[in-house]
Amino acid sequence: MPDFVQRVSAKNELVPEWASQEVSTGTTIMAVEYDGGVVIGADSRTTTGAYIANRVTDKLTQIHERIYCCRSGSAADTQAIADVVTYQLGFHSIELDEPPLVETAANLFKASCYRYREELTAGILVAGWDKRKGGQVYCVPIGGMLVRQPVSVGGSGSTYIYGFMDSNYKPGMTKDKCMELTATALSLAMERDGSSGGVVRLASISEEGVERRVILGNELPRFSTH
Amino acid sequence: MATLTVSRPPVGGFNFENCKRNAVLEGEVTKLGCSLPAARKTGTTICGVVFKDGVVLGADTRATEGMIVADKNCSKIHYISPNIYCCGAGTAADTEMTTQIISSNLELHSLSTGRLPRVATANRMLKQMLFRYQGYIGAALVLGGVDCNGPHLYSIYPHGSTDKLPYVTMGSGSLAAMAVFEDRFKPDMEEADAKLLVRDAIAAGIFNDLGSGSNIDLCVITKGNVDYIRPHDEANKKGVRTGDYKYKRGTTSVLTKVVTPLNLEVMDESVQTMDTS
């Protein structure tokens, strides 16, 4: 007799456990500064328990013309926070009659994430370009801290690539080298982390504007393990 | 005579005062040996697909209360606006009320703007309401429609996260339905192909998931036209009995027959009409 164990929730036999679990962006996200802009990247997997709810998620969310955020943690929490900050920043920008600063956007994220730190599960990387300081990456992890870093990784898959990042990042890299570094790092993380996978989404933000790219599964860099 | 009213500021969110009472009741009821009624959940398979000219939404029609089928033919595709419909999985009451509330607000919004509502607007309203209630409203929705920017399809989860995709499935039968979609979906399908694909996806849910069953409802939305097909496919027809337990006349022979007429006089006749409007 086949032994198929289907984990069903105790509350209702007909509704499997994954159906009542919250949707989380398991995730690997990364952001790198270079002279003249930033490169950001993310995987594309959203999970509810062990089921992949969306295998082509776009975790690189536009907050303003040249400011993006990379979302990790609870999908509902990060989508809601991003919507709120997009509104606040848009309003602020109209009042200023000037493109907003990346630091402003990062502080708006921090304000929401810190105030509601007990209720939220959100790890966010804010990255973009502004006239004052050029390309910047700000890290707003769970808890609501704010710190600027030249390179930052986040999400459940980030733990697998700290070593790679530390040994391969050098200050003063070109945009294309940063893209390559990000794509390789994300591929490595997606290889090892079950909650990360799908395609690699990349974006580069500079004074010229935003350039988006998708690297499909079969085009990802391969490693000696296969 | 003026009355003094102390106005309490409106408190948002749920009122959890009855939780203590419910816990006490549950304890007492188990002592008596019976159980409290469970909320009716729509076990469900719902799905949606974007095709060349619009969207096709599909749903099964079984509503369950624990292990019992409470409704063999319930309607899971809800009206939001003339160009937008929404399938609901999860707690039946939550999906029903949530879609009605948003439908009402969207109609008012549409009167304000003077325009046909957009699917993105309905999506925003739904996700912001569900996030506000932090997942306590158990409504998992598939929202689809056609507006001035073309056909759109969203999946909305109880905690308030949404995904905009060309094909989505929700409910306990969503894995079975998604398997069908991942195998046979192609972008820019014709209407007939899209309807067949959705029908097959729901059928996969009906026959492979215990929480889904009965018939298949379809809703085809295109620019300027909605086809609400209920039922599209009676996948589970009630069988016809092959035998009959009734005895034929003459099985028991009649020996004598006595007829006694009862002469009754009509004393008073009054008619009360029922308001059936």
Side-chain angles (χ1 to χ4, degrees), chain A residues 68-158:
Chain A
Y68 271 68
C69 78
C70 310
R71 301 181 289 111
S72 74
S74 155
D77 290 350
T78 53
Q79 281 182 15
I81 298 169
D83 287 344
V84 162
V85 172
T86 307
Y87 164 77
Q88 291 173 332
L89 200 65
F91 193 90
H92 168 75
S93 171
I94 289 174
E95 282 185 322
L96 231 55
D97 198 19
E98 231 181 69
L101 300 175
V102 187
E103 194 174 345
T104 314
N107 276 97
L108 285 170
F109 270 106
K110 181 209 52 197
S112 294
C113 291
Y114 183 71
R115 179 174 285 243
Y116 298 105
R117 56 181 298 166
E118 305 300 327
E119 286 84 28
L120 295 171
T121 311
I124 296 172
L125 297 178
V126 186
W129 181 92
D130 63 36
K131 213 171 58 174
R132 207 181 276 188
K133 293 186 188 167
Q136 300 145 72
V137 169
Y138 292 90
C139 185
V140 183
I142 294 175
M145 173 185 89
L146 172 64
V147 72
R148 180 180 170 188
Q149 291 179 305
V151 196
S152 198
V153 292
S156 59
S158 66

Side-chain angles (χ1 to χ4, degrees), chain B residues 128-261:
Chain B
Q128 285 180 351
M129 178 181 163
L130 291 173
F131 183 76
R132 201 172 354 127
Y133 287 97
Q134 287 290 292
Y136 283 101
I137 293 185
L141 310 165
V142 166
L143 176 76
V146 180
D147 57 30
C148 56
N149 289 333
H152 303 280
L153 185 66
Y154 292 88
S155 67
I156 307 170
Y157 292 82
H159 284 265
S161 62
T162 64
D163 288 308
K164 185 175 194 306
L165 293 162
Y167 55 95
V168 293
T169 64
M170 288 284 228
S172 56
S174 64
L175 260 57
M178 185 52 93
V180 175
F181 275 163
E182 289 284 29
D183 185 30
R184 283 159 47 188
F185 173 83
K186 281 181 289 293
D188 293 322
M189 283 184 289
E190 293 297 330
E191 182 174 324
D193 291 329
K195 280 166 75 173
L196 182 65
L197 182 63
V198 170
R199 184 247 158 237
D200 287 344
I202 301 292
I206 286 173
F207 293 115
N208 299 96
D209 172 46
L210 296 176
S212 312
S214 297
N215 312 320
I216 300 168
D217 289 349
L218 239 60
C219 184
V220 184
I221 310 172
T222 50
K223 194 170 180 66
N225 181 255
V226 173
D227 268 335
Y228 193 93
I229 313 167
R230 179 177 151 79
H232 169 74
D233 199 323
E234 279 197 38
N236 294 285
K237 269 211 251 299
K238 187 166 183 170
V240 176
R241 276 181 211 272
T242 49
D244 193 13
Y245 283 108
K246 273 212 183 81
Y247 287 103
K248 288 196 290 289
R249 266 188 194 281
T251 310
T252 308
S253 50
V254 179
L255 298 175
T256 41
K257 190 162 143 180
V258 175
V259 179
T260 315

Side-chain angles (χ1 to χ4, degrees), chain A residues 145-215:
Chain A
M145 173 185 89
L146 172 64
V147 72
R148 180 180 170 188
Q149 291 179 305
V151 196
S152 198
V153 292
S156 59
S158 66
T159 51
Y160 302 99
I161 50 172
Y162 276 110
F164 177 81
M165 197 187 78
D166 287 335
S167 55
N168 288 76
Y169 172 74
K170 313 235 173 323
M173 285 168 45
T174 62
K175 178 176 95 163
D176 291 317
K177 278 231 114 71
C178 286
M179 288 279 231
E180 224 179 276
L181 178 74
T182 311
T184 314
L186 290 171
S187 308
L188 284 165
M190 280 154 63
E191 183 76 31
R192 287 291 179 180
D193 179 29
S195 309
S196 303
V199 304
V200 169
R201 291 197 189 272
L202 291 169
S204 79
I205 310 169
S206 64
E207 187 174 1
E208 283 81 51
V210 178
E211 214 185 279
R212 295 204 62 155
R213 251 187 37 208
V214 179
I215 305 180

Side-chain angles (χ1 to χ4, degrees), chain B residues 26-191:
Chain B
E26 224 174 280
E28 286 186 9
V29 147
T30 37
K31 265 190 269 160
L32 292 167
C34 44
S35 62
L36 289 168
R40 185 202 293 187
K41 297 190 84 122
T42 46
T44 306
T45 309
I46 51 173
C47 67
V49 104
V50 173
F51 70 101
K52 197 166 75 166
D53 309 313
V55 301
V56 180
L57 301 175
D60 73 305
T61 60
R62 176 181 287 184
T64 50
E65 233 169 79
M67 271 300 192
I68 299 175
V69 176
D71 192 345
K72 284 183 280 188
N73 196 205
C74 76
S75 168
K76 299 187 191 178
I77 306 184
H78 309 283
Y79 168 89
I80 300 278
S81 79
N83 59 325
I84 304 171
Y85 278 73
C86 185
C87 310
T91 311
D94 287 346
T95 59
E96 189 74 45
M97 291 317 302
T98 304
T99 47
Q100 281 179 359
I101 290 170
I102 264 66
S103 169
S104 164
N105 289 342
L106 207 58
E107 189 174 342
L108 290 169
H109 185 263
S110 167
L111 286 165
S112 269
T113 58
R115 294 175 162 92
L116 200 63
R118 303 187 187 191
V119 191
T121 315
N123 179 53
R124 261 300 153 106
M125 291 176 160
L126 284 163
K127 71 155 34 177
Q128 285 180 351
M129 178 181 163
L130 291 173
F131 183 76
R132 201 172 354 127
Y133 287 97
Q134 287 290 292
Y136 283 101
I137 293 185
L141 310 165
V142 166
L143 176 76
V146 180
D147 57 30
C148 56
N149 289 333
H152 303 280
L153 185 66
Y154 292 88
S155 67
I156 307 170
Y157 292 82
H159 284 265
S161 62
T162 64
D163 288 308
K164 185 175 194 306
L165 293 162
Y167 55 95
V168 293
T169 64
M170 288 284 228
S172 56
S174 64
L175 260 57
M178 185 52 93
V180 175
F181 275 163
E182 289 284 29
D183 185 30
R184 283 159 47 188
F185 173 83
K186 281 181 289 293
D188 293 322
M189 283 184 289
E190 293 297 330
E191 182 174 324

